[in-house]
Amino acid sequence: MKLEGKIAVVTGASKGIGAGIAKALGAAGATVVVNYASSKADADAVVAQIQGQGGKAVAIQADISLSADVVRLFDTVRADFGALDILVNNAGVAVFQMIEDLTEDAFHQQFNLNVLGYLLAVREAVKLFGPSGSIINISSILSTDPYLASSVYSATKGAVDTLTFALARELGPRGIRVNSILPGHTNTPATEGNFAGAFGEQLIAGTPLGRFGEPEDIAPLAVFLASDDSHWVTGESIRASGG
Ligand code: NAP
């Protein structure tokens, strides 16, 4: 129970990687705020699973791309728990388009959630941290190894790695560590059907451990980065991708 007594917010925790991380943080003893955008039933199910293992969790709706929603989310955390120790910036969206098909809407949708949303959450979270804290930004291996039709999405994740490093420097003197996790190709609702056929075979061939990831493959690294076991680690971007 290395996170006993800690309060954690995980954005986009109603499914996929965020749900996996929320459950692992809960199992390690943290009280977990399970944020979601629209899938209340899924978020409630994650909360129920955490509680079923003896953990503590609540679900809070907020669209992380909207400043007013992010402020409301962290105001609720302040009112309910009084403090915060761990923020996992996970809520993200991917729109894969060849450059000829680029739309400004798709650009803003991805940058507003994947980059602005992460920054807004950090802005509000740091007001609640005590003398220490851990921020974990979910990036992607596409930040350094983009594939076809991913220019905008990969650029958002490159920005996540850079803002991670910049914020680690800015927040280090306040005892707040900031790291990013770069998942590889991971089975989640977002990727359902994406890894079929020859494309999927090509991705597996480029993965030394020879399979797609699962949220449970990513979550232990988040627990490590959230805990004091990683007390000397900040500003790092760590791949969790099977190689
Ligand atoms: P997912 O299955 O689509 O789940 C996305 C989660 O984010 C859901 O809980 C969703 O909530 C929430 N969400 C979406 N828009 C939101 C918003 N505006 N405000 C708040 N929450 C919002 O996605 P995933 O595959 O688990 O991806 C999670 C993160 O990992 C993303 O940052 C993604 O870029 C990154 N990643 C994924 C992979 C992969 O292969 N899956 C690889 C590398 C990196 P609702 O259900 O309520 O909409």
Side-chain angles (χ1 to χ4, degrees), residues 12-18 35-39 42 62-65 90-93 113 118 138-141 153 157 183-186 188-191 195:
S14 56
K15 53 178 77 126
I17 291 171
N35 161 253
Y36 66 99
S38 57
S39 304
D42 290 335
D63 181 338
I64 299 298
S65 67
N90 166 81
V93 62
L113 182 58
Y118 280 31
I138 304 303
S139 175
S140 167
I141 58 167
Y153 175 74
K157 296 304 188 180
H185 316 295
T186 308
T188 69
T191 58
F195 299 154

Side-chain angles (χ1 to χ4, degrees), residues 31-82:
T31 296
V32 187
V33 175
V34 174
N35 161 253
Y36 66 99
S38 57
S39 304
K40 183 176 185 321
D42 290 335
D44 287 343
V46 173
V47 167
Q49 273 182 276
I50 294 170
Q51 291 172 339
Q53 297 166 341
K56 297 183 222 80
V58 293
I60 302 181
Q61 191 281 335
D63 181 338
I64 299 298
S65 67
L66 301 177
S67 182
D69 274 30
V70 176
V71 169
R72 175 175 52 76
L73 169 65
F74 287 91
D75 279 351
T76 307
V77 173
R78 184 200 312 274
D80 290 355
F81 304 107

Side-chain angles (χ1 to χ4, degrees), residues 118-226:
Y118 280 31
L119 290 164
L120 293 172
V122 173
R123 183 188 72 189
E124 298 309 311
V126 294
K127 299 174 187 170
L128 297 179
F129 280 128
S132 67
S134 175
I135 296 170
I136 300 161
N137 295 321
I138 304 303
S139 175
S140 167
I141 58 167
L142 270 59
S143 72
T144 56
D145 190 12
Y147 55 52
L148 200 65
S150 74
S151 57
V152 176
Y153 175 74
S154 297
T156 68
K157 296 304 188 180
V160 168
D161 291 345
T162 303
L163 70 85
T164 295
F165 196 20
L167 288 170
R169 288 185 165 175
E170 184 173 327
L171 297 173
R174 294 168 60 177
I176 300 170
R177 298 181 296 105
V178 190
N179 294 287
S180 65
I181 296 175
L182 285 60
H185 316 295
T186 308
N187 287 318
T188 69
T191 58
E192 213 173 313
N194 288 4
F195 299 154
F199 180 59
E201 285 166 23
Q202 190 189 331
L203 296 179
I204 295 276
T207 305
L209 293 184
R211 63 171 173 82
F212 296 114
E214 302 295 335
E216 294 72 25
D217 295 316
I218 314 299
L221 180 55
V223 173
F224 168 71
L225 291 173

